[in-house]
Amino acid sequence: MIAFNTLTKFGIHATDGDIGQCKDVLFDEQDFVIRYFVADTHKWLPLGRKVVLSPISLTEVNDTEEKLYVSMTKDALKESPSIDDHKPLSREYEEILFKYFGYGYYWTGPGAWGDFSHPTELVDQQSMLDDMDTLESKPENHLRSCEEVNGYDISAQGEDTGHVCDFVIDKRNWAIQLFIIDTRNWLPGGKKIALAPALIKDIDWSTHKINVNMSHDDLMALPEVDDDRLDDADYLASLASKPLMTDRK
């Protein structure tokens, strides 16, 4: 497990040297799975620009060095399809990007990563891409920025109770396991609590608000989070394993 606020301190290392810093991640709002790391390459590459890297490319997450190791060279990343900073990342762009790297599509098949459970299994699936090109309908993507959602208010049956201040992410499949909610700016003696994505009713992007399927009292009964241990992987794993009332509707 790793916290989003910790992940954004990590550098990104290619096979031939450092290439950037992880500044954000994009997640699928339907499955709550991280689809891309957003890298800032300005300090490492000439004419550096913002690029996105799929978890498919990861070979190692080194917590000690605070680095993400990826299976590509600096030149491969530099020559990858450019991304418009001011436009959403479209499915058409994803197809171009995945063809460039030779990855299999994550959006086909029943699993979080196509027919697989883990992203690295989609490496070198070019033959699958050729088959997918014959499909007439291609599903739209639903990608959102953790940096954007960080700070969204939490509404429990219409009552604002806190705001998102972090995310707990499973490094095995890059699924968001928990939203960390800070209630201290809303309630006297408030605390940080752990909210499972299954409890989210919807995310209102226009009002920057997350609506949850529970009352204020039930929300406040969720497990409390130790703010000083959000960079402790073992603590995050134990927190994610606690009963989090995910069966409530």
Side-chain angles (χ1 to χ4, degrees):
M1 299 289 176
I2 190 170
F4 166 71
N5 290 338
T6 299
L7 184 60
T8 53
K9 301 174 186 176
F10 277 45
I12 300 174
H13 189 85
T15 56
D16 54 353
D18 291 334
I19 53 176
Q21 179 96 14
C22 180
K23 61 177 293 186
D24 194 7
V25 297
L26 304 180
F27 70 94
D28 188 322
E29 67 173 290
Q30 293 185 324
D31 299 326
F32 294 100
V33 174
I34 303 301
R35 298 303 184 189
Y36 297 100
F37 307 103
V38 181
D40 183 352
T41 66
H42 285 83
K43 291 173 60 178
W44 286 269
L45 297 178
L47 303 176
R49 54 186 172 84
K50 187 174 80 171
V51 297
V52 293
L53 297 164
S54 169
I56 298 170
S57 67
L58 280 182
T59 58
E60 181 187 358
V61 180
N62 192 307
D63 296 314
T64 303
E65 298 179 4
E66 294 189 339
K67 283 186 178 181
L68 303 174
Y69 285 81
V70 295
S71 57
M72 65 183 67
T73 64
K74 290 191 287 186
D75 281 344
L77 181 62
K78 185 169 62 175
E79 299 300 325
S80 66
S82 61
I83 180 173
D84 190 326
D85 286 356
H86 306 292
K87 292 182 180 180
L89 197 153
S90 67
R91 180 69 83 207
E92 288 74 20
Y93 173 83
E94 289 189 279
E95 291 180 353
I96 294 170
L97 185 71
F98 274 51
K99 287 179 179 178
Y100 174 79
F101 286 117
Y103 299 153
Y105 295 153
Y106 71 79
W107 54 89
T108 61
W113 295 95
D115 291 324
F116 306 103
S117 301
H118 303 96
T120 52
E121 294 175 282
L122 284 170
V123 173
D124 194 22
Q125 293 286 330
Q126 188 66 53
S127 60
M128 188 179 78
L129 296 185
D130 296 337
D131 292 339
M132 292 301 103
D133 285 341
T134 63
L135 295 178
E136 294 184 4
S137 62
K138 298 177 181 180
E140 294 183 2
N141 61 9
H142 301 269
L143 300 177
R144 297 291 178 174
S145 157
C146 273
E147 184 179 42
E148 175 194 353
V149 177
N150 213 8
Y152 273 27
D153 292 335
I154 300 295
S155 177
Q157 297 181 353
E159 182 177 357
D160 289 345
T161 307
H163 67 274
V164 179
C165 65
D166 209 345
F167 309 83
V168 175
I169 303 165
D170 190 334
K171 291 184 291 185
R172 296 170 299 178
N173 58 10
W174 294 97
I176 296 177
Q177 296 294 317
L178 299 170
F179 284 62
I180 305 300
I181 311 303
D182 191 347
T183 68
R184 293 176 295 190
N185 62 328
W186 294 91
L187 303 169
K191 58 186 178 180
K192 289 188 177 180
I193 54 179
L195 174 74
L199 292 171
I200 294 176
K201 179 182 178 182
D202 58 60
I203 302 178
D204 189 329
W205 305 106
S206 62
T207 62
H208 296 180
K209 186 170 291 188
I210 296 176
N211 299 301
V212 297
N213 287 316
M214 57 201 317
S215 68
H216 164 82
D217 290 344
D218 284 342
L219 183 70
M220 295 304 297
L222 290 175
E224 185 171 359
V225 174
D226 185 343
D227 198 20
D228 295 328
R229 300 182 66 189
L230 285 175
D231 58 353
D232 182 335
D234 291 336
Y235 171 71
L236 295 179
S238 67
L239 186 65
S241 68
K242 291 183 178 180
L244 295 170
M245 303 165 70
T246 55
D247 58 338
R248 292 185 60 86
K249 302 295 182 184

